[in-house]
Amino acid sequence: MTNILELKNIKKTYNTAGNILTVLDGANLSVQEQQTVAIVGESGSGKSTFLHIASLLDKFDEGEILLDGKEISSLKDKEKSVIRNKNFGFVYQSHLLLQEFTVLENILMPILIERKIKKADRIRAGELLAKLNILECASKFPTELSGGQQQRVAIARALIQSPKIVFADEPTGNLDPETAKTVKDLFNSLIAEENISLVIVSHDLTLANSCDKVYKLEDKQLIEN
Ligand SMILES: Nc1ncnc2c1ncn2[C@@H]1O[C@H](COP(=O)(O)OP(=O)(O)O)[C@@H](O)[C@H]1O
Ligand SMILES: [Mg+2]
């Protein structure tokens, strides 16, 4: 199987008021087509930092990122955002739903920022809503939904453009255990069904161990278990 995404020798430092903090130093990770990869590690070890770098949301000091064998991190910002929009989906706790838009509009937003919505897009959105058991929420606003429902909307939004890779940062971290399990199961089955690769940061060891590959972030590097 070929690597769809590869990060090589990533070094990342933060410079806060002259204080240099090295968070990653020689971090490597590879993801194959349709593979699910988990990243675990202690709080503050750099998991979110790594995920932001891998998904082209953050810059880094050294190393390279290959998508389908091609280096993409040295591209211009505009080209990077095209790659992101076309290939990546995101389920991040910080990527909140837009409160002034309905559930359906939120799900269609990644398309709406690029072009006009087509009938096929609405059908796709409806299918995702149905698969995630939130069809009845389509015309509601985010504030009218439970936490678990909101996170399912975020999942539908991440999947709307059939991305190659979905990046998820503690996607069930804010949910109670029972809701987390429901969301997790729906998420996993959709990822498998749609042949998507997944890179997920999680504290949940059951979730991490259900992935094809588990990396632990420790001492600024990723160690494959
Ligand atoms: N924007 C930032 N500026 C400065 N330091 C940061 C920034 N983001 C994260 N850090 C620091 O980098 C380290 C790793 O953070 P993070 O990637 O959020 O870890 P994790 O997701 O594993 O909890 C922490 O020490 C954190 O304080
Ligand atoms: Mg984090």
Side-chain angles (χ1 to χ4, degrees):
M1 279 285 253
T2 48
N3 283 333
I4 179 168
L5 182 73
E6 246 182 304
L7 283 97
K8 293 183 176 172
N9 277 313
I10 300 297
K11 180 171 183 177
K12 169 73 180 177
T13 55
Y14 287 114
N15 185 341
T16 334
N19 281 328
I20 311 268
L21 173 71
T22 304
V23 178
L24 302 167
D25 198 359
N28 296 291
L29 171 139
S30 61
V31 187
Q32 297 177 348
E33 276 175 27
Q34 300 175 30
Q35 193 177 39
T36 56
V37 173
I39 300 173
V40 299
E42 283 176 12
S43 183
S45 59
K47 304 180 298 297
S48 295
T49 299
F50 185 84
L51 211 63
H52 288 145
I53 290 170
S55 55
L56 296 181
L57 291 170
D58 204 357
K59 295 199 178 351
F60 51 96
D61 303 274
E62 284 172 30
E64 52 185 350
I65 305 178
L66 308 178
L67 181 71
D68 289 324
K70 269 184 267 167
E71 217 292 319
I72 52 167
S73 64
S74 47
L75 297 173
K76 295 198 182 87
D77 284 348
K78 207 173 164 188
E79 293 169 310
K80 281 191 207 167
S81 65
V82 170
I83 287 180
R84 247 192 338 253
N85 224 329
K86 193 160 158 255
N87 299 283
F88 299 163
F90 304 92
V91 189
Y92 288 169
Q93 280 178 1
S94 57
H95 279 218
L96 300 171
L97 302 173
L98 301 168
Q99 303 300 325
E100 64 274 35
F101 293 93
T102 66
V103 163
L104 185 63
E105 288 164 344
N106 266 283
I107 293 171
L108 292 169
M109 200 54 70
I111 300 175
L112 205 56
I113 57 175
E114 280 196 335
R115 58 166 173 82
K116 274 180 105 170
I117 301 295
K118 297 173 188 166
K119 196 175 170 199
D121 301 324
R122 290 186 188 281
I123 293 170
R124 165 94 177 137
E127 282 169 359
L128 285 170
L129 282 166
K131 283 180 182 170
L132 289 160
N133 288 330
I134 43 170
L135 197 53
E136 75 282 2
C137 300
S139 49
K140 289 187 179 170
F141 288 89
T143 49
E144 299 174 85
L145 309 183
S146 70
Q149 287 171 328
Q150 289 190 29
Q151 206 53 340
R152 280 181 269 167
V153 175
I155 291 169
R157 182 181 57 183
L159 298 179
I160 187 74
Q161 305 218 74
S162 304
K164 288 186 187 160
I165 308 172
V166 167
F167 296 91
D169 195 348
E170 304 272 7
T172 56
N174 284 339
L175 306 174
D176 64 81
E178 204 175 316
T179 311
K181 189 179 181 321
T182 312
V183 173
K184 200 163 66 184
D185 291 347
L186 285 166
F187 190 31
N188 282 346
S189 62
L190 265 180
I191 291 285
E193 199 177 306
E194 303 224 339
N195 298 327
I196 293 168
S197 302
L198 174 71
V199 183
I200 187 166
V201 166
S202 185
H203 274 307
D204 180 344
L205 287 182
T206 326
L207 174 58
N209 289 328
S210 71
C211 291
D212 301 322
K213 187 152 79 168
V214 182
Y215 287 94
K216 184 165 190 196
L217 215 174
E218 200 169 43
D219 299 331
K220 308 176 178 62
Q221 301 197 340
L222 285 161
I223 299 135
E224 198 181 329
N225 276 12

